[in-house]
PDB file of all heavy atoms in Angstrom:
ATOM      1  N   PHE R   1     115.613  97.584  99.620  1.00  0.00           N
ATOM      2  CA  PHE R   1     116.253  98.881  99.820  1.00  0.00           C
ATOM      3  C   PHE R   1     116.538  99.102 101.314  1.00  0.00           C
ATOM      4  O   PHE R   1     117.629  99.506 101.703  1.00  0.00           O
ATOM      5  CB  PHE R   1     115.374 100.002  99.252  1.00  0.00           C
ATOM      6  CG  PHE R   1     116.001 101.361  99.331  1.00  0.00           C
ATOM      7  CD1 PHE R   1     116.993 101.733  98.447  1.00  0.00           C
ATOM      8  CD2 PHE R   1     115.608 102.264 100.305  1.00  0.00           C
ATOM      9  CE1 PHE R   1     117.596 102.987  98.509  1.00  0.00           C
ATOM     10  CE2 PHE R   1     116.197 103.515 100.387  1.00  0.00           C
ATOM     11  CZ  PHE R   1     117.192 103.879  99.489  1.00  0.00           C
ATOM     12  N   SER R   2     115.565  98.797 102.153  1.00  0.00           N
ATOM     13  CA  SER R   2     115.730  98.958 103.610  1.00  0.00           C
ATOM     14  C   SER R   2     116.762  97.991 104.169  1.00  0.00           C
ATOM     15  O   SER R   2     117.575  98.371 105.017  1.00  0.00           O
ATOM     16  CB  SER R   2     114.391  98.720 104.320  1.00  0.00           C
ATOM     17  OG  SER R   2     113.457  99.682 103.941  1.00  0.00           O
ATOM     18  N   VAL R   3     116.751  96.753 103.699  1.00  0.00           N
ATOM     19  CA  VAL R   3     117.705  95.746 104.187  1.00  0.00           C
ATOM     20  C   VAL R   3     119.134  96.132 103.798  1.00  0.00           C
ATOM     21  O   VAL R   3     120.068  95.998 104.602  1.00  0.00           O
ATOM     22  CB  VAL R   3     117.334  94.338 103.656  1.00  0.00           C
ATOM     23  CG1 VAL R   3     118.438  93.328 103.925  1.00  0.00           C
ATOM     24  CG2 VAL R   3     116.026  93.872 104.282  1.00  0.00           C
ATOM     25  N   LEU R   4     119.325  96.621 102.578  1.00  0.00           N
ATOM     26  CA  LEU R   4     120.657  97.052 102.144  1.00  0.00           C
ATOM     27  C   LEU R   4     121.154  98.212 103.016  1.00  0.00           C
ATOM     28  O   LEU R   4     122.306  98.231 103.444  1.00  0.00           O
ATOM     29  CB  LEU R   4     120.637  97.455 100.672  1.00  0.00           C
ATOM     30  CG  LEU R   4     120.436  96.312  99.675  1.00  0.00           C
ATOM     31  CD1 LEU R   4     120.124  96.864  98.286  1.00  0.00           C
ATOM     32  CD2 LEU R   4     121.652  95.403  99.632  1.00  0.00           C
ATOM     33  N   ALA R   5     120.271  99.175 103.287  1.00  0.00           N
ATOM     34  CA  ALA R   5     120.643 100.316 104.132  1.00  0.00           C
ATOM     35  C   ALA R   5     120.983  99.848 105.546  1.00  0.00           C
ATOM     36  O   ALA R   5     121.949 100.316 106.148  1.00  0.00           O
ATOM     37  CB  ALA R   5     119.518 101.343 104.158  1.00  0.00           C
ATOM     38  N   ALA R   6     120.220  98.901 106.075  1.00  0.00           N
ATOM     39  CA  ALA R   6     120.476  98.381 107.419  1.00  0.00           C
ATOM     40  C   ALA R   6     121.817  97.654 107.495  1.00  0.00           C
ATOM     41  O   ALA R   6     122.404  97.543 108.564  1.00  0.00           O
ATOM     42  CB  ALA R   6     119.351  97.439 107.844  1.00  0.00           C
ATOM     43  N   ASN R   7     122.310  97.190 106.347  1.00  0.00           N
ATOM     44  CA  ASN R   7     123.599  96.513 106.284  1.00  0.00           C
ATOM     45  C   ASN R   7     124.727  97.462 105.904  1.00  0.00           C
ATOM     46  O   ASN R   7     125.812  97.030 105.529  1.00  0.00           O
ATOM     47  CB  ASN R   7     123.533  95.331 105.305  1.00  0.00           C
ATOM     48  CG  ASN R   7     122.897  94.122 105.948  1.00  0.00           C
ATOM     49  OD1 ASN R   7     123.575  93.322 106.574  1.00  0.00           O
ATOM     50  ND2 ASN R   7     121.582  94.010 105.834  1.00  0.00           N
ATOM     51  N   GLY R   8     124.463  98.763 105.966  1.00  0.00           N
ATOM     52  CA  GLY R   8     125.514  99.751 105.780  1.00  0.00           C
ATOM     53  C   GLY R   8     125.838 100.114 104.347  1.00  0.00           C
ATOM     54  O   GLY R   8     126.834 100.791 104.098  1.00  0.00           O
ATOM     55  N   LEU R   9     125.005  99.702 103.386  1.00  0.00           N
ATOM     56  CA  LEU R   9     125.251 100.066 101.990  1.00  0.00           C
ATOM     57  C   LEU R   9     124.440 101.305 101.627  1.00  0.00           C
ATOM     58  O   LEU R   9     123.250 101.377 101.924  1.00  0.00           O
ATOM     59  CB  LEU R   9     124.869  98.924 101.050  1.00  0.00           C
ATOM     60  CG  LEU R   9     125.810  97.740 101.021  1.00  0.00           C
ATOM     61  CD1 LEU R   9     125.246  96.644 100.134  1.00  0.00           C
ATOM     62  CD2 LEU R   9     127.181  98.147 100.533  1.00  0.00           C
ATOM     63  N   THR R  10     125.104 102.251 100.988  1.00  0.00           N
ATOM     64  CA  THR R  10     124.410 103.419 100.461  1.00  0.00           C
ATOM     65  C   THR R  10     124.024 103.088  99.029  1.00  0.00           C
ATOM     66  O   THR R  10     124.883 102.927  98.165  1.00  0.00           O
ATOM     67  CB  THR R  10     125.327 104.653 100.507  1.00  0.00           C
ATOM     68  OG1 THR R  10     125.732 104.855 101.863  1.00  0.00           O
ATOM     69  CG2 THR R  10     124.611 105.882  99.989  1.00  0.00           C
ATOM     70  N   VAL R  11     122.740 102.957  98.798  1.00  0.00           N
ATOM     71  CA  VAL R  11     122.228 102.509  97.499  1.00  0.00           C
ATOM     72  C   VAL R  11     121.295 103.568  96.935  1.00  0.00           C
ATOM     73  O   VAL R  11     120.426 104.080  97.638  1.00  0.00           O
ATOM     74  CB  VAL R  11     121.474 101.163  97.651  1.00  0.00           C
ATOM     75  CG1 VAL R  11     120.956 100.679  96.324  1.00  0.00           C
ATOM     76  CG2 VAL R  11     122.367 100.106  98.284  1.00  0.00           C
ATOM     77  N   THR R  12     121.468 103.881  95.664  1.00  0.00           N
ATOM     78  CA  THR R  12     120.582 104.806  94.967  1.00  0.00           C
ATOM     79  C   THR R  12     119.571 103.997  94.163  1.00  0.00           C
ATOM     80  O   THR R  12     119.963 103.166  93.347  1.00  0.00           O
ATOM     81  CB  THR R  12     121.394 105.696  93.995  1.00  0.00           C
ATOM     82  OG1 THR R  12     122.401 106.381  94.730  1.00  0.00           O
ATOM     83  CG2 THR R  12     120.490 106.680  93.286  1.00  0.00           C
ATOM     84  N   PRO R  13     118.281 104.206  94.395  1.00  0.00           N
ATOM     85  CA  PRO R  13     117.303 103.480  93.581  1.00  0.00           C
ATOM     86  C   PRO R  13     117.247 104.071  92.175  1.00  0.00           C
ATOM     87  O   PRO R  13     117.352 105.283  91.997  1.00  0.00           O
ATOM     88  CB  PRO R  13     115.985 103.677  94.321  1.00  0.00           C
ATOM     89  CG  PRO R  13     116.187 104.858  95.197  1.00  0.00           C
ATOM     90  CD  PRO R  13     117.660 105.015  95.425  1.00  0.00           C
ATOM     91  N   ALA R  14     117.108 103.204  91.194  1.00  0.00           N
ATOM     92  CA  ALA R  14     116.959 103.672  89.810  1.00  0.00           C
ATOM     93  C   ALA R  14     115.648 104.448  89.698  1.00  0.00           C
ATOM     94  O   ALA R  14     114.656 104.084  90.331  1.00  0.00           O
ATOM     95  CB  ALA R  14     116.953 102.487  88.853  1.00  0.00           C
ATOM     96  N   PRO R  15     115.636 105.520  88.910  1.00  0.00           N
ATOM     97  CA  PRO R  15     114.396 106.299  88.780  1.00  0.00           C
ATOM     98  C   PRO R  15     113.323 105.503  88.043  1.00  0.00           C
ATOM     99  O   PRO R  15     113.624 104.669  87.191  1.00  0.00           O
ATOM    100  CB  PRO R  15     114.832 107.523  87.967  1.00  0.00           C
ATOM    101  CG  PRO R  15     116.038 107.078  87.215  1.00  0.00           C
ATOM    102  CD  PRO R  15     116.714 106.049  88.074  1.00  0.00           C
ATOM    103  N   GLN R  16     112.093 105.767  88.409  1.00  0.00           N
ATOM    104  CA  GLN R  16     110.966 105.160  87.709  1.00  0.00           C
ATOM    105  C   GLN R  16     110.820 105.847  86.355  1.00  0.00           C
ATOM    106  O   GLN R  16     110.872 107.073  86.285  1.00  0.00           O
ATOM    107  CB  GLN R  16     109.669 105.325  88.513  1.00  0.00           C
ATOM    108  CG  GLN R  16     109.683 104.628  89.849  1.00  0.00           C
ATOM    109  CD  GLN R  16     109.661 103.122  89.708  1.00  0.00           C
ATOM    110  OE1 GLN R  16     109.063 102.571  88.785  1.00  0.00           O
ATOM    111  NE2 GLN R  16     110.335 102.439  90.614  1.00  0.00           N
ATOM    112  N   GLN R  17     110.664 105.062  85.327  1.00  0.00           N
ATOM    113  CA  GLN R  17     110.502 105.630  83.989  1.00  0.00           C
ATOM    114  C   GLN R  17     109.088 106.194  83.838  1.00  0.00           C
ATOM    115  O   GLN R  17     108.111 105.509  84.100  1.00  0.00           O
ATOM    116  CB  GLN R  17     110.751 104.562  82.913  1.00  0.00           C
ATOM    117  CG  GLN R  17     112.158 104.001  82.926  1.00  0.00           C
ATOM    118  CD  GLN R  17     113.195 105.053  82.605  1.00  0.00           C
ATOM    119  OE1 GLN R  17     112.980 105.920  81.786  1.00  0.00           O
ATOM    120  NE2 GLN R  17     114.345 104.957  83.266  1.00  0.00           N
ATOM    121  N   GLN R  18     109.014 107.448  83.429  1.00  0.00           N
ATOM    122  CA  GLN R  18     107.716 108.078  83.200  1.00  0.00           C
ATOM    123  C   GLN R  18     107.246 107.725  81.785  1.00  0.00           C
ATOM    124  O   GLN R  18     108.032 107.685  80.853  1.00  0.00           O
ATOM    125  CB  GLN R  18     107.828 109.600  83.344  1.00  0.00           C
ATOM    126  CG  GLN R  18     108.278 110.048  84.716  1.00  0.00           C
ATOM    127  CD  GLN R  18     107.309 109.644  85.809  1.00  0.00           C
ATOM    128  OE1 GLN R  18     106.103 109.705  85.628  1.00  0.00           O
ATOM    129  NE2 GLN R  18     107.848 109.213  86.940  1.00  0.00           N
ATOM    130  N   GLN R  19     105.959 107.480  81.668  1.00  0.00           N
ATOM    131  CA  GLN R  19     105.402 107.185  80.362  1.00  0.00           C
ATOM    132  C   GLN R  19     103.987 107.734  80.289  1.00  0.00           C
ATOM    133  O   GLN R  19     103.354 107.931  81.314  1.00  0.00           O
ATOM    134  CB  GLN R  19     105.427 105.685  80.081  1.00  0.00           C
ATOM    135  CG  GLN R  19     104.574 104.871  81.027  1.00  0.00           C
ATOM    136  CD  GLN R  19     104.740 103.387  80.794  1.00  0.00           C
ATOM    137  OE1 GLN R  19     105.739 102.816  81.142  1.00  0.00           O
ATOM    138  NE2 GLN R  19     103.742 102.777  80.189  1.00  0.00           N
ATOM    139  N   PRO R  20     103.512 107.989  79.075  1.00  0.00           N
ATOM    140  CA  PRO R  20     102.156 108.530  78.938  1.00  0.00           C
ATOM    141  C   PRO R  20     101.112 107.580  79.539  1.00  0.00           C
ATOM    142  O   PRO R  20     101.262 106.366  79.498  1.00  0.00           O
ATOM    143  CB  PRO R  20     101.964 108.649  77.423  1.00  0.00           C
ATOM    144  CG  PRO R  20     103.356 108.700  76.869  1.00  0.00           C
ATOM    145  CD  PRO R  20     104.199 107.883  77.804  1.00  0.00           C
ATOM    146  N   ALA R  21     100.053 108.155  80.106  1.00  0.00           N
ATOM    147  CA  ALA R  21      99.023 107.375  80.781  1.00  0.00           C
ATOM    148  C   ALA R  21      98.279 106.441  79.835  1.00  0.00           C
ATOM    149  O   ALA R  21      97.729 105.436  80.268  1.00  0.00           O
ATOM    150  CB  ALA R  21      98.037 108.315  81.468  1.00  0.00           C
ATOM    151  N   ASP R  22      98.268 106.768  78.531  1.00  0.00           N
ATOM    152  CA  ASP R  22      97.511 105.930  77.595  1.00  0.00           C
ATOM    153  C   ASP R  22      98.318 104.729  77.091  1.00  0.00           C
ATOM    154  O   ASP R  22      97.814 103.948  76.299  1.00  0.00           O
ATOM    155  CB  ASP R  22      96.996 106.763  76.421  1.00  0.00           C
ATOM    156  CG  ASP R  22      98.106 107.422  75.616  1.00  0.00           C
ATOM    157  OD1 ASP R  22      99.249 107.482  76.128  1.00  0.00           O
ATOM    158  OD2 ASP R  22      97.830 107.880  74.496  1.00  0.00           O
ATOM    159  N   GLU R  23      99.564 104.568  77.551  1.00  0.00           N
ATOM    160  CA  GLU R  23     100.381 103.423  77.136  1.00  0.00           C
ATOM    161  C   GLU R  23     100.327 102.334  78.192  1.00  0.00           C
ATOM    162  O   GLU R  23     100.089 102.582  79.370  1.00  0.00           O
ATOM    163  CB  GLU R  23     101.839 103.850  76.947  1.00  0.00           C
ATOM    164  CG  GLU R  23     102.053 104.723  75.734  1.00  0.00           C
ATOM    165  CD  GLU R  23     103.522 105.040  75.517  1.00  0.00           C
ATOM    166  OE1 GLU R  23     104.378 104.330  76.076  1.00  0.00           O
ATOM    167  OE2 GLU R  23     103.804 106.003  74.803  1.00  0.00           O
ATOM    168  N   PHE R  24     100.546 101.095  77.720  1.00  0.00           N
ATOM    169  CA  PHE R  24     100.628  99.983  78.657  1.00  0.00           C
ATOM    170  C   PHE R  24     101.868 100.150  79.528  1.00  0.00           C
ATOM    171  O   PHE R  24     102.881 100.681  79.072  1.00  0.00           O
ATOM    172  CB  PHE R  24     100.729  98.647  77.906  1.00  0.00           C
ATOM    173  CG  PHE R  24      99.432  98.212  77.300  1.00  0.00           C
ATOM    174  CD1 PHE R  24      99.257  98.234  75.925  1.00  0.00           C
ATOM    175  CD2 PHE R  24      98.391  97.772  78.107  1.00  0.00           C
ATOM    176  CE1 PHE R  24      98.056  97.833  75.359  1.00  0.00           C
ATOM    177  CE2 PHE R  24      97.186  97.381  77.553  1.00  0.00           C
ATOM    178  CZ  PHE R  24      97.014  97.406  76.180  1.00  0.00           C
ATOM    179  N   PRO R  25     101.815  99.690  80.784  1.00  0.00           N
ATOM    180  CA  PRO R  25     103.009  99.776  81.626  1.00  0.00           C
ATOM    181  C   PRO R  25     104.158  98.960  81.019  1.00  0.00           C
ATOM    182  O   PRO R  25     103.936  97.979  80.323  1.00  0.00           O
ATOM    183  CB  PRO R  25     102.560  99.150  82.947  1.00  0.00           C
ATOM    184  CG  PRO R  25     101.086  99.066  82.892  1.00  0.00           C
ATOM    185  CD  PRO R  25     100.690  99.092  81.455  1.00  0.00           C
ATOM    186  N   LEU R  26     105.369  99.401  81.304  1.00  0.00           N
ATOM    187  CA  LEU R  26     106.542  98.675  80.807  1.00  0.00           C
ATOM    188  C   LEU R  26     106.641  97.309  81.461  1.00  0.00           C
ATOM    189  O   LEU R  26     106.322  97.143  82.637  1.00  0.00           O
ATOM    190  CB  LEU R  26     107.820  99.463  81.112  1.00  0.00           C
ATOM    191  CG  LEU R  26     108.037 100.770  80.370  1.00  0.00           C
ATOM    192  CD1 LEU R  26     109.303 101.445  80.887  1.00  0.00           C
ATOM    193  CD2 LEU R  26     108.136 100.532  78.879  1.00  0.00           C
ATOM    194  N   GLU R  27     107.083  96.343  80.692  1.00  0.00           N
ATOM    195  CA  GLU R  27     107.369  95.026  81.244  1.00  0.00           C
ATOM    196  C   GLU R  27     108.546  95.156  82.211  1.00  0.00           C
ATOM    197  O   GLU R  27     109.386  96.042  82.060  1.00  0.00           O
ATOM    198  CB  GLU R  27     107.735  94.051  80.120  1.00  0.00           C
ATOM    199  CG  GLU R  27     106.603  93.734  79.176  1.00  0.00           C
ATOM    200  CD  GLU R  27     105.583  92.812  79.816  1.00  0.00           C
ATOM    201  OE1 GLU R  27     105.975  91.911  80.596  1.00  0.00           O
ATOM    202  OE2 GLU R  27     104.390  92.992  79.545  1.00  0.00           O
ATOM    203  N   ASP R  28     108.623  94.235  83.185  1.00  0.00           N
ATOM    204  CA  ASP R  28     109.725  94.276  84.150  1.00  0.00           C
ATOM    205  C   ASP R  28     111.079  94.212  83.466  1.00  0.00           C
ATOM    206  O   ASP R  28     112.010  94.902  83.863  1.00  0.00           O
ATOM    207  CB  ASP R  28     109.596  93.119  85.144  1.00  0.00           C
ATOM    208  CG  ASP R  28     108.479  93.346  86.149  1.00  0.00           C
ATOM    209  OD1 ASP R  28     107.984  94.482  86.252  1.00  0.00           O
ATOM    210  OD2 ASP R  28     108.113  92.383  86.835  1.00  0.00           O
ATOM    211  N   SER R  29     111.202  93.377  82.441  1.00  0.00           N
ATOM    212  CA  SER R  29     112.497  93.253  81.757  1.00  0.00           C
ATOM    213  C   SER R  29     112.875  94.554  81.058  1.00  0.00           C
ATOM    214  O   SER R  29     114.050  94.923  81.010  1.00  0.00           O
ATOM    215  CB  SER R  29     112.476  92.085  80.771  1.00  0.00           C
ATOM    216  OG  SER R  29     111.445  92.257  79.831  1.00  0.00           O
ATOM    217  N   GLN R  30     111.884  95.295  80.530  1.00  0.00           N
ATOM    218  CA  GLN R  30     112.158  96.593  79.913  1.00  0.00           C
ATOM    219  C   GLN R  30     112.588  97.605  80.971  1.00  0.00           C
ATOM    220  O   GLN R  30     113.520  98.381  80.754  1.00  0.00           O
ATOM    221  CB  GLN R  30     110.915  97.114  79.177  1.00  0.00           C
ATOM    222  CG  GLN R  30     110.546  96.332  77.936  1.00  0.00           C
ATOM    223  CD  GLN R  30     109.222  96.812  77.376  1.00  0.00           C
ATOM    224  OE1 GLN R  30     108.215  96.856  78.069  1.00  0.00           O
ATOM    225  NE2 GLN R  30     109.247  97.201  76.103  1.00  0.00           N
ATOM    226  N   ARG R  31     111.899  97.598  82.112  1.00  0.00           N
ATOM    227  CA  ARG R  31     112.277  98.491  83.213  1.00  0.00           C
ATOM    228  C   ARG R  31     113.707  98.204  83.651  1.00  0.00           C
ATOM    229  O   ARG R  31     114.486  99.121  83.896  1.00  0.00           O
ATOM    230  CB  ARG R  31     111.341  98.284  84.417  1.00  0.00           C
ATOM    231  CG  ARG R  31     109.960  98.830  84.258  1.00  0.00           C
ATOM    232  CD  ARG R  31     109.052  98.570  85.480  1.00  0.00           C
ATOM    233  NE  ARG R  31     109.702  98.833  86.748  1.00  0.00           N
ATOM    234  CZ  ARG R  31     109.672  97.988  87.791  1.00  0.00           C
ATOM    235  NH1 ARG R  31     109.029  96.842  87.711  1.00  0.00           N
ATOM    236  NH2 ARG R  31     110.271  98.301  88.921  1.00  0.00           N
ATOM    237  N   LEU R  32     114.054  96.920  83.739  1.00  0.00           N
ATOM    238  CA  LEU R  32     115.392  96.518  84.167  1.00  0.00           C
ATOM    239  C   LEU R  32     116.443  97.000  83.174  1.00  0.00           C
ATOM    240  O   LEU R  32     117.468  97.572  83.568  1.00  0.00           O
ATOM    241  CB  LEU R  32     115.468  95.001  84.336  1.00  0.00           C
ATOM    242  CG  LEU R  32     116.838  94.431  84.672  1.00  0.00           C
ATOM    243  CD1 LEU R  32     117.367  95.005  85.970  1.00  0.00           C
ATOM    244  CD2 LEU R  32     116.771  92.917  84.734  1.00  0.00           C
ATOM    245  N   GLN R  33     116.206  96.821  81.876  1.00  0.00           N
ATOM    246  CA  GLN R  33     117.184  97.233  80.864  1.00  0.00           C
ATOM    247  C   GLN R  33     117.371  98.750  80.853  1.00  0.00           C
ATOM    248  O   GLN R  33     118.496  99.238  80.732  1.00  0.00           O
ATOM    249  CB  GLN R  33     116.772  96.728  79.470  1.00  0.00           C
ATOM    250  CG  GLN R  33     116.927  95.229  79.295  1.00  0.00           C
ATOM    251  CD  GLN R  33     118.316  94.742  79.677  1.00  0.00           C
ATOM    252  OE1 GLN R  33     119.327  95.294  79.277  1.00  0.00           O
ATOM    253  NE2 GLN R  33     118.359  93.693  80.500  1.00  0.00           N
ATOM    254  N   GLN R  34     116.294  99.493  80.993  1.00  0.00           N
ATOM    255  CA  GLN R  34     116.407 100.953  81.035  1.00  0.00           C
ATOM    256  C   GLN R  34     117.182 101.403  82.265  1.00  0.00           C
ATOM    257  O   GLN R  34     118.019 102.311  82.198  1.00  0.00           O
ATOM    258  CB  GLN R  34     115.022 101.598  81.007  1.00  0.00           C
ATOM    259  CG  GLN R  34     114.345 101.519  79.661  1.00  0.00           C
ATOM    260  CD  GLN R  34     112.980 102.200  79.660  1.00  0.00           C
ATOM    261  OE1 GLN R  34     112.519 102.710  80.675  1.00  0.00           O
ATOM    262  NE2 GLN R  34     112.336 102.185  78.506  1.00  0.00           N
ATOM    263  N   ALA R  35     116.922 100.767  83.412  1.00  0.00           N
ATOM    264  CA  ALA R  35     117.613 101.132  84.645  1.00  0.00           C
ATOM    265  C   ALA R  35     119.090 100.758  84.569  1.00  0.00           C
ATOM    266  O   ALA R  35     119.950 101.505  85.055  1.00  0.00           O
ATOM    267  CB  ALA R  35     116.946 100.455  85.841  1.00  0.00           C
ATOM    268  N   LEU R  36     119.405  99.627  83.957  1.00  0.00           N
ATOM    269  CA  LEU R  36     120.806  99.226  83.802  1.00  0.00           C
ATOM    270  C   LEU R  36     121.541 100.216  82.899  1.00  0.00           C
ATOM    271  O   LEU R  36     122.683 100.594  83.180  1.00  0.00           O
ATOM    272  CB  LEU R  36     120.902  97.798  83.242  1.00  0.00           C
ATOM    273  CG  LEU R  36     122.297  97.219  83.124  1.00  0.00           C
ATOM    274  CD1 LEU R  36     123.021  97.215  84.464  1.00  0.00           C
ATOM    275  CD2 LEU R  36     122.228  95.797  82.560  1.00  0.00           C
ATOM    276  N   GLN R  37     120.897 100.664  81.850  1.00  0.00           N
ATOM    277  CA  GLN R  37     121.484 101.677  80.966  1.00  0.00           C
ATOM    278  C   GLN R  37     121.744 102.970  81.741  1.00  0.00           C
ATOM    279  O   GLN R  37     122.788 103.598  81.594  1.00  0.00           O
ATOM    280  CB  GLN R  37     120.556 101.940  79.767  1.00  0.00           C
ATOM    281  CG  GLN R  37     121.067 102.976  78.784  1.00  0.00           C
ATOM    282  CD  GLN R  37     122.367 102.548  78.124  1.00  0.00           C
ATOM    283  OE1 GLN R  37     122.623 101.367  77.910  1.00  0.00           O
ATOM    284  NE2 GLN R  37     123.215 103.516  77.815  1.00  0.00           N
ATOM    285  N   TRP R  38     120.806 103.359  82.593  1.00  0.00           N
ATOM    286  CA  TRP R  38     120.953 104.548  83.439  1.00  0.00           C
ATOM    287  C   TRP R  38     122.164 104.394  84.360  1.00  0.00           C
ATOM    288  O   TRP R  38     122.978 105.309  84.493  1.00  0.00           O
ATOM    289  CB  TRP R  38     119.659 104.753  84.225  1.00  0.00           C
ATOM    290  CG  TRP R  38     119.703 105.831  85.252  1.00  0.00           C
ATOM    291  CD1 TRP R  38     119.561 107.178  85.046  1.00  0.00           C
ATOM    292  CD2 TRP R  38     119.879 105.666  86.658  1.00  0.00           C
ATOM    293  NE1 TRP R  38     119.640 107.851  86.244  1.00  0.00           N
ATOM    294  CE2 TRP R  38     119.838 106.937  87.252  1.00  0.00           C
ATOM    295  CE3 TRP R  38     120.073 104.551  87.474  1.00  0.00           C
ATOM    296  CZ2 TRP R  38     119.978 107.139  88.618  1.00  0.00           C
ATOM    297  CZ3 TRP R  38     120.211 104.741  88.835  1.00  0.00           C
ATOM    298  CH2 TRP R  38     120.173 106.027  89.391  1.00  0.00           C
ATOM    299  N   ALA R  39     122.314 103.212  84.984  1.00  0.00           N
ATOM    300  CA  ALA R  39     123.450 102.951  85.890  1.00  0.00           C
ATOM    301  C   ALA R  39     124.763 102.970  85.123  1.00  0.00           C
ATOM    302  O   ALA R  39     125.783 103.466  85.621  1.00  0.00           O
ATOM    303  CB  ALA R  39     123.258 101.611  86.595  1.00  0.00           C
TER     304      ALA R  39
END
């Protein structure tokens, strides 16, 4: 994120998906698919 900004790109980070504390964390591939859908 910092390197992209230093190179003059305005980049919006995808939001972190909120989930109940009693659930296992999302796999990276699931996080990626949800963020791509958001984009």
